[in-house]
Amino acid sequence: IAGITQAPTSQILAAGRRMTLRCTQDMRHNAMYWYRQDLGLGLRLIHYSNTAGTTGKGEVPDGYSVSRANTDDFPLTLASAVPSQTSVYFCASSGTSEDTQYFGPGTRLTVL
Amino acid sequence: GQNIDQPTEMTATEGAIVQINCTYQTSGFNGLFWYQQHAGEAPTFLSYNVLDGLEEKGRFSSFLSRSKGYSYLLLKELQMKDSASYLCAVRDSNYQLIWGAGTKLIIKP
């Protein structure tokens, strides 16, 4: 494969449950990002990682956590899902933080 | 605060030309990006401007004026497949992208 994959494609989740969204890239990009996209709003950055082993908080980090154990994988975890986390989640990557970002296909998450 | 403004929706005719504007106020400036997003799909990169002026890439061109905090995306010879949302994003002083809400472009035959 070439590019970024995300799993699952879509998920319906009960409030209070824990959920991990997976993101894998095979481009050996150093930087990775998690965004959420809600109707009428621009993409909002949740967390980012400029290189393996480091992570940072974006604009809307509350309720989410990430890890970056290696270059390829950047999972996003919702510890206890709430309905306001219903959204489409996109993972992206770039060679470095100064390069163009490329997006995965997204995960549509519904929290009931 | 940081702000990116672009029209919510525009309509144009197949074969015509359309200009989508974007104005921005951000903490620092390290480049402006345009992405295309078809409904239900991921954003895909279209263009990048960091210096003032026009960047041309086939049917698509993007213009930047840093002094005015302004950019536009120009689409020529519109095709039905150009029906999509167009997202403007500015890279700020922290090298984070600040995104506009997107402009939905509807192409009519």
Side-chain angles (χ1 to χ4, degrees):
Chain A
I1 60 170
I4 304 176
T5 58
Q6 293 185 234
T9 302
S10 66
Q11 182 77 42
I12 299 173
L13 191 66
R17 297 297 294 268
R18 181 184 178 89
M19 177 72 191
T20 295
L21 307 185
R22 299 185 298 280
C23 175
T24 300
Q25 53 99 3
D26 65 357
M27 297 177 285
R28 308 303 294 172
H29 281 174
N30 285 311
M32 297 186 75
Y33 313 85
W34 275 106
Y35 291 94
R36 61 178 289 172
Q37 187 175 41
D38 302 291
L39 200 63
L41 299 177
L43 288 159
R44 291 183 291 169
L45 182 66
I46 303 170
H47 285 285
Y48 66 94
S49 169
N50 286 332
T51 189
T54 69
T55 62
K57 293 182 179 180
E59 179 187 357
V60 289
D62 293 345
Y64 306 94
S65 63
V66 291
S67 61
R68 187 87 184 277
N70 57 61
T71 297
D72 299 345
D73 301 300
F74 191 43
L76 176 74
T77 298
L78 288 67
S80 179
V82 295
S84 62
Q85 293 178 311
T86 294
S87 188
V88 180
Y89 291 86
F90 287 103
C91 179
S93 72
S94 60
T96 70
S97 61
E98 299 179 26
D99 294 324
T100 299
Q101 294 183 18
Y102 297 93
F103 285 78
T107 294
R108 184 174 295 275
L109 182 67
T110 302
V111 183
L112 301 176
Chain B
Q2 308 204 88
N3 196 49
I4 311 286
D5 285 320
Q6 46 182 137
T8 302
E9 186 175 295
M10 299 181 70
T11 301
T13 304
E14 189 177 17
I17 299 173
V18 71
Q19 177 175 311
I20 302 173
N21 295 324
C22 171
T23 58
Y24 63 88
Q25 290 180 306
T26 56
S27 303
F29 179 85
N30 283 297
L32 185 143
F33 296 81
W34 285 95
Y35 282 76
Q36 181 190 59
Q37 186 177 25
H38 285 100
E41 297 184 7
T44 56
F45 169 72
L46 285 177
S47 69
Y48 170 67
N49 295 69
V50 67
L51 299 176
D52 290 352
L54 189 68
E55 293 282 342
E56 297 185 83
K57 192 183 293 185
R59 293 189 299 114
F60 292 6
S61 303
S62 56
F63 172 83
L64 175 67
S65 170
R66 289 172 295 170
S67 63
K68 295 182 179 178
Y70 169 70
S71 173
Y72 67 73
L73 180 69
L74 192 72
L75 291 73
K76 303 176 186 175
E77 300 170 14
L78 286 170
Q79 302 174 11
M80 296 304 293
K81 67 178 182 179
D82 297 329
S83 292
S85 289
Y86 292 84
L87 314 182
C88 175
V90 172
R91 189 158 56 196
D92 69 8
S93 56
N94 294 319
Y95 282 86
Q96 303 297 345
L97 288 183
I98 309 301
W99 295 82
T103 298
K104 182 177 181 181
L105 179 63
I106 299 168
I107 310 296
K108 295 186 174 179

